[in-house]
Amino acid sequence: CIRDRCIPGAEPGKAEKIRKNKTVILVCDNGAKSSQSVAAWREAGFENAYSLKGGLAAWQQDNLPTVAGK
């Protein structure tokens, strides 16, 4: 989710409101799909697109904070 908006990782074209010079972090359950999507985002001009290593599962395993949706 980007400022309360989720954009499918394989669809960077739907991110028209995000400036291409901003950092974009792609997240999925275990990091596999988001890692694959980084190339598409970079091709679309988001040079600062990255995948969260290990995904949300690794984030939670490290006891990092999460916030439930509204």
Side-chain angles (χ1 to χ4, degrees):
C1 293
I2 300 169
R3 296 184 190 245
D4 300 321
R5 261 178 285 138
C6 289
I7 299 171
E11 300 180 29
K14 292 188 176 182
E16 65 274 349
K17 292 185 179 183
I18 301 171
R19 289 183 286 173
K20 293 190 177 188
N21 66 338
K22 293 291 183 179
T23 299
V24 175
I25 301 172
L26 304 172
V27 181
C28 67
D29 289 334
N30 61 21
K33 289 187 184 218
S34 59
S35 292
Q36 294 171 353
S37 297
V38 168
W41 281 75
R42 288 184 179 170
E43 260 184 49
F46 295 91
E47 293 180 17
N48 296 313
Y50 303 94
S51 172
L52 180 64
K53 184 177 181 181
L56 188 57
W59 184 270
Q60 291 173 326
Q61 185 176 5
D62 287 344
N63 293 316
L64 295 168
T66 58
V67 177
K70 294 178 184 178

